[in-house]
Each structure stands twice: as structure tokens, then as C-alpha cells.
Amino acid sequence: MDFKRHIAANIKAGELSEEEIYSMLALPPNTEMGDFALPCFKLAKTMRKAPALIAEDIKSAYPADDPLVSEVSAVNGYVNFKIDRAFWAKETLGRVLTEREKYGASDEGKGKTVCIDYSSVNIAKPFHIGHLSTTVLGSALYKLHKFLGYTPVGINHLGDYGTQFGKLISAYKRWGKKEDIEKGGLRALNALYVRFHEEAEKDDSLNDEARAFFKKIEDKDEESVALFEWFKELTLKDVGKIYDLLNVHFDSWAGESFYNDKMQPVIDELNEKGLLVESEGAKIVDLEKYGMPPCIILRSDGASLYATRDIAAAIYRKNTYDFYKCLYVVAYQQNLHFKQFFKVLELMGKEWAKDLVHVAFGMVSLEDGSMSTRKGRVVYLEDVIQKCIEKALAIITEKNPSLENKEEIAKTVGVGAVIFGALYNNKIKDITFSYDKVLNFEGETSCYVQYTCARANSVLAKGGTAKDFAIGQVLPQEFELVKQLSEFPATLKDALEKYEPCFIARYAVDLAQKYNKFYFDCKILNAEEKERNFRLALTEATLITLKNALSLLGIGVPEKM
Ligand code: ARG
């Protein structure tokens, strides 16, 4: 039940509508003051009265017989409302314990398809720590949309087109060995690529050779296309392993090359609409009026560009999925690119261009020095995940040597640490990834949350789950927990609206902290029966909610730790 809604509906404040009151209701800094507060300062002007007097009036007008509200007070220009705690607890626990793994879900997105373009790896290029954020952010947004009733379409817009593939073929034919590449996968391919650049610096003719090979791919030369397809297959096999580990899923792998035959109609349309102009041999859309450099559609040699493909892709997605929104989870370095091609679509008269959203995020660097792809100093994502799993295993072994299934648990903990580490901060912030920080069992981490779940599991294993519980007096620690539990659905809504999975991560840490405070302050198993049952119900509701939160981020929860 939405208590805020209930209170808003009962408040009478001049001409204000229920909606306006609802949006004004705030949370007081501490629960001793109240559970909701209505600030009256903004009303003083229109009502021509001092805020303190307005607060008094609103208080007196509030129905005295509302069973949900145990106290209304007017203090310093605020009207404070206290919800009946037992009522709140009963409502909330009732809901969590019946809805269970569906708690927090809704159907607000019913009938709405949302395309989410994320991870979008480049074929034959290293899948490095820089790809972590787009992958886990996109995946969390995918799961969140699904949970709230939307139909998400996960798209991996593969970087599978460009001159670099000519370079790769040239390098492979010169120095590559089939068995080595088969064994070494992505890393072996990248080594070839790095070697090509070194050698091409000494011998420029290599670049001509690469261009010729690229042309061969475009002309559908059998051998070149077969090599390219093989590189693609090797890449997808390697990244597939990482996607499996991270619980990441895609519905479409239509990459850049998919749009090879879908760009001509776009170019024709741009021409018809008089948007395409010639500039130094290239064809561009002039965006000067909008304070941006031109969007280049065709290079002077007639080749299409990244933006051309993105325009074709957006049109294709609209036609295929009739999306409600199309999200691009891509680093902020590409801000201009997205602004440009969104604008071009708008100028083409696509009214749906307003539904394209660039979900930008900051950079991830490693604590022990930044990385540079060009010099070959690459931190592979796979290595980061493996290292986290190993470290998790060492910690778990030290904490609980007799634990069964340690390897499996370490995997869940290690992978969780990587995902949570990337999702804990507002997405636009640059972050420094630290192994010690993400694996700190007492920190704001997934392992802290997972550990709390293991604690709750062990309480329930000893005490059983409460079938029936009556609620008497609710202690502050219990009430804090109840309130936090009841905020889960609103937190998810908010996270989706702002495209911020970090709200869910923070929520999980908050809930775990509140449970642990409750756990240490209130005895559960040795309490009297009535309290014991209520506290077991609180424990179970916490476990359910924490699991739901983590699973939306792609993180599992071991039974024991
Ligand atoms: N492959 C690109 C890169 O690594 C990201 C593609 C993002 N998606 C898009 N539709 N442009 O930079």
C-alpha cells in the first residue's frame, strides 16, 4: 500500500490537488519526527498566511479517525504524519511474503518495448575493463525493465565493420597460425593486430595491403569473408563465456555490418529532404545551427561511417520493434556522436527521435595504473573477473574453512563483486576499480549483502519461517527495517526512470545494514513466541527483498558463506 498516496488523498490544503500534495510530501530526517512531512513554506505566498499557521490548519483539517495515521503534528511550518507502525509492518510483510520473488515487480511497462543497446563489443579487439560498465549497466537495465513489465530487447551492436579487419587479415596471412589462433582466441587475434601496427610503422605498404583486403571483404571475396567470419566466431565464443559468467543476455546480435545494405535508403531520404550537402568531397549534414560539427554521412571515397550505420540502425529498430524508448548504454566520450545522429533523425522528421536516449556513463580505471589499448597494456575483463573469484575463494576459505562447495560460492561472490563494484556509484562518475574495496565484507559491497543473506538463511534454518505472526509494539530497529522493505517498489521505479541501477545497489546495502542492526539489537530465536514470529517474518522478508535486488543486478546469493 502506498501510504504517501493515502495521506495525500486525505490532506486538505487550499486549492492544491492530490497530485501536488503527493509530490510535496517529504521524508523527515528522522522517524521520531514523523514518517512523512508536508512543508508549508511554498504555500505561504498563495495562501497569504504564515507557514506555521498553514501547518496548523492542515493539521486540524486532517481526519482524526484515520486508522493508518497514529499522530499528526504541526512543527515549525511542517505538518508531520506518523503512520501506525503495526499497520505498516503488517501491510508490508504481508505483501513481501505473498509476492515473494515478484515483490517489487509491476506492470507499468505493459505493452511497451524498450530497445537497449549495450556491451556492443568490437570483433577481434580485446574485451577489456572499459567494457565492464556498459555490459553490467545495460544488463541491469534490461532486467529492471522486464521486472517492471516492459518488453526489453537487448541488442549487441557488434563492431564488425571497418578497415581494421583488412589489417587483421593481412597480419594473419603474414604471421598467423591457425592452431595458435584457435587456442589463443581473442588475445591471439589482438596480438596479431598489435604486431600489424608495429610493422606498418616501418613499412607503409602494409596499410595498402590491409585496405585491399578490406575491399575484398566488401566485394564478398570468399576467402576474406570466411576469415572475417572466423574472427567473429572466435570473438563471440570468448565474450560469450564472460556474458555467461555475468548473467548477461542479448536478443539481437545485429552489428554494424548488418546495416551494409540498409544505408542506401537512408542516404536517398537525406538527399530527398535536402539535408545532405557536399563538403570537401564528403557528404554531410550541416549541424552548425545546433552548435555542433557536421555529421559526416559518406566519406569522400564513398565509404559510410559509424554515424551512418547508427542512423540506419535506429530506423531499422523503430520499424522492427516499434520501440517506446531506445536506449544506448555507451560511455560519455561518445556524447557528441549521439547528439549528432539523434539530431539528424529529428531533422529527417522522425518524431520518435525524442525516444532515443543516450545513457552515458563514466570511465573505469584500475587502481594499479591506467591502461592503454594502443601500447598493448590492456586489462582483460576476464582476468579481472578471475582475479576476483580467486580472491573471494581465499577470503571464504579463511573465514569458513569447512564450507562445502567453496568454488561455486567463490564464483558467485567474485562475479558479484565485479558487477556491484561497477554499479554502486552514479553512472556518470569515473571510478577506480579496487579489488580490496569490492571484496570488503564489511563495506558497501555485494559480499556484505550476500553475507547478510547467508545470516538470514541461517536464522530461518534454525527458527523456521513464520506462518502466522501478530504484531504488537514495533521497536525502532524493526520499524526502520519495515520502512526500508516497503520502499523497494518505489526504488525500482525511480531507478528505471533515471536509468540508475546504482539506486538498487545502494538500496540493498541500506537494507542489509538495517537488518544487521536489527539482528544485533533484537534477539530473534530466543524471543517470546509472538515477537519471535514477527522477527522471523522480518528476516524472511529481508532475505526475499535482498535476493530480488541482487538478481536485478545479475548477482546470485549463496545459501551459506
Ligand atoms: N562498438 C562501439 C564502441 O566500442 C560501441 C557501440 C555502441 N552502440 C551504438 N549503437 N553506437 O565504441
Side-chain angles (χ1 to χ4, degrees):
M1 138 152 234
D2 187 347
F3 293 105
K4 193 165 151 183
R5 176 65 58 195
H6 173 89
I7 294 173
N10 276 315
I11 290 177
K12 281 180 213 59
E15 303 289 290
L16 288 186
S17 69
E18 180 183 321
E19 250 352 280
E20 286 167 307
I21 297 174
Y22 183 84
S23 67
M24 281 170 67
L25 277 172
L27 298 179
N30 70 61
T31 22
E32 288 317 303
M33 296 164 75
D35 301 308
F36 293 102
L38 187 76
C40 300
F41 309 98
K42 273 209 230 141
L43 305 176
K45 216 167 165 191
T46 47
M47 293 188 168
R48 297 164 175 278
K49 236 192 223 177
L53 289 177
I54 299 175
E56 279 299 336
D57 288 350
I58 293 176
K59 178 196 150 185
S60 333
Y62 196 86
D65 56 354
D66 181 357
L68 259 65
V69 172
S70 60
E71 194 188 316
V72 186
S73 58
V75 184
N76 301 331
Y78 285 91
V79 195
N80 294 326
F81 299 86
K82 272 194 183 164
I83 304 285
D84 184 89
R85 294 183 169 191
F87 193 95
W88 193 329
K90 197 163 181 324
E91 273 283 326
T92 305
L93 291 185
R95 189 168 164 197
V96 184
L97 297 177
T98 22
E99 295 179 11
R100 310 193 75 84
E101 63 281 352
K102 290 259 151 51
Y103 178 57
S106 82
D107 57 4
E108 68 164 61
K110 209 168 156 205
K112 292 179 180 149
T113 298
V114 175
C115 291
I116 311 178
D117 176 328
Y118 62 105
S119 200
S120 299
V121 284
N122 299 320
I123 300 303
K125 288 267 185 72
F127 195 49
H128 55 73
I129 178 111
H131 296 109
L132 174 61
S133 299
T134 171
T135 306
V136 298
L137 266 171
S139 167
L141 289 174
Y142 182 93
K143 293 180 206 294
L144 181 58
H145 275 84
K146 201 165 190 171
F147 204 54
L148 299 193
Y150 295 82
T151 308
V153 181
I155 303 174
N156 201 322
H157 186 76
L158 298 175
D160 59 359
Y161 182 86
T163 43
Q164 73 267 29
F165 299 109
K167 295 179 184 169
L168 208 57
I169 292 180
S170 156
Y172 175 70
K173 295 196 79 142
R174 282 170 177 269
W175 315 296
K177 278 211 207 79
K178 191 158 195 261
E179 315 80 73
D180 294 350
I181 306 289
E182 228 134 45
K183 224 168 62 219
L186 208 47
R187 291 177 207 234
L189 285 178
N190 188 242
L192 276 180
Y193 193 68
V194 171
R195 173 141 184 214
F196 179 90
H197 278 271
E198 283 164 7
E199 308 262 350
E201 255 175 43
K202 290 176 257 161
D203 176 3
D204 191 44
S205 73
L206 282 184
N207 286 315
D208 297 331
E209 183 177 295
R211 262 189 291 277
F213 275 121
F214 178 57
K215 178 108 188 11
K216 280 191 169 185
I217 302 181
E218 293 215 287
D219 295 343
K220 307 218 161 44
D221 165 67
E222 210 175 302
E223 190 201 7
S224 307
V225 170
L227 278 174
F228 170 68
E229 290 297 334
W230 181 49
F231 297 153
K232 187 160 162 174
E233 193 187 304
L234 286 169
T235 307
L236 293 185
K237 203 171 114 211
D238 265 16
V239 295
K241 282 189 257 165
I242 298 173
Y243 291 147
D244 285 346
L245 265 178
L246 296 175
N247 288 307
V248 172
H249 165 83
F250 297 96
D251 303 297
S252 160
W253 298 81
E256 294 191 37
S257 71
F258 179 75
Y259 299 99
N260 279 346
D261 61 353
K262 297 176 182 60
M263 282 177 293
Q264 194 52 48
V266 174
I267 294 160
D268 293 343
E269 190 177 338
L270 283 166
N271 245 331
E272 273 160 38
K273 296 190 165 148
L275 291 164
L276 216 51
V277 291
E278 185 119 9
S279 163
E280 293 167 34
K283 301 256 199 254
I284 63 161
V285 177
D286 183 13
L287 298 174
E288 202 184 332
K289 253 200 254 164
Y290 311 97
M292 288 184 262
C295 184
I296 308 174
I297 302 292
L298 290 175
R299 273 200 328 230
S300 52
D301 63 2
S304 63
L305 286 103
Y306 184 46
T308 326
R309 286 161 198 279
D310 257 327
I311 294 169
I315 294 173
Y316 174 83
R317 289 173 194 175
K318 185 64 193 177
N319 291 339
T320 309
Y321 305 109
D322 192 22
F323 56 71
Y324 160 74
K325 288 264 153 69
C326 177
L327 316 182
Y328 297 84
V329 187
V330 183
Y332 64 61
Q333 279 89 342
Q334 295 193 27
N335 274 354
L336 179 62
H337 165 71
F338 286 99
K339 269 176 56 192
Q340 285 179 308
F341 89 78
F342 290 179
K343 192 52 144 190
V344 171
L345 283 160
E346 187 192 315
L347 295 174
M348 288 172 88
K350 313 287 179 201
E351 56 77 30
W352 48 264
K354 63 176 190 336
D355 304 324
L356 305 171
V357 186
H358 176 204
V359 180
F361 57 82
M363 286 202 314
V364 184
S365 52
L366 269 189
E367 204 174 29
D368 48 14
S370 64
M371 50 164 229
S372 150
T373 327
R374 246 177 257 136
K375 294 197 192 100
R377 253 198 300 140
V378 181
V379 182
Y380 282 88
L381 187 49
E382 188 185 8
D383 295 345
V384 175
I385 299 173
Q386 277 318 330
K387 196 160 163 185
C388 268
I389 295 177
E390 277 159 33
K391 281 182 178 267
L393 183 62
I395 298 172
I396 292 169
T397 309
E398 193 194 310
K399 277 188 186 283
N400 193 350
S402 61
L403 187 67
E404 276 173 48
N405 252 336
K406 274 201 266 300
E407 269 78 22
E408 238 348 88
I409 294 170
K411 197 163 130 189
T412 310
V413 172
V415 167
V418 177
I419 298 178
F420 207 84
L423 290 182
Y424 195 69
N425 290 297
N426 280 66
K427 61 184 184 296
I428 202 66
K429 276 199 187 158
D430 290 336
I431 52 174
T432 308
F433 188 91
S434 143
Y435 292 101
D436 292 336
K437 218 163 105 192
V438 301
L439 281 166
N440 178 355
F441 276 62
E442 268 104 57
E444 293 168 354
T445 56
S446 54
C447 44
Y448 172 73
V449 179
Q450 287 166 325
Y451 194 75
T452 308
C453 290
R455 169 171 286 156
N457 259 320
S458 121
V459 169
L460 294 172
K462 289 182 199 130
T465 49
K467 298 268 169 305
D468 266 320
F469 57 91
I471 302 170
Q473 205 203 0
V474 181
L475 299 176
Q477 294 89 331
E478 295 168 328
F479 186 55
E480 285 300 323
L481 193 51
V482 164
K483 261 181 113 167
Q484 182 73 19
L485 285 168
S486 74
E487 274 159 28
F488 187 52
T491 304
L492 297 187
K493 223 172 125 72
D494 207 21
L496 186 137
E497 236 160 67
K498 305 204 172 73
Y499 308 119
E500 280 290 13
C502 75
F503 292 177
I504 307 175
R506 299 243 180 89
Y507 172 89
V509 167
D510 266 5
L511 179 58
Q513 284 171 344
K514 286 183 173 139
Y515 179 77
N516 287 321
K517 172 138 185 60
F518 154 80
Y519 174 88
F520 286 113
D521 289 356
C522 313
K523 48 182 185 206
I524 304 175
L525 296 172
N526 300 322
E528 281 194 44
E529 189 172 338
K530 187 171 167 189
E531 263 140 29
R532 183 174 192 265
N533 283 340
F534 173 45
R535 289 175 187 169
L536 284 171
L538 274 171
T539 300
E540 195 185 358
T542 302
L543 179 62
I544 289 171
T545 310
L546 287 178
K547 274 187 171 171
N548 290 1
L550 288 186
S551 115
L552 285 169
L553 307 179
I555 303 174
V557 171
E559 281 273 314
K560 291 183 182 164
M561 256 168 92

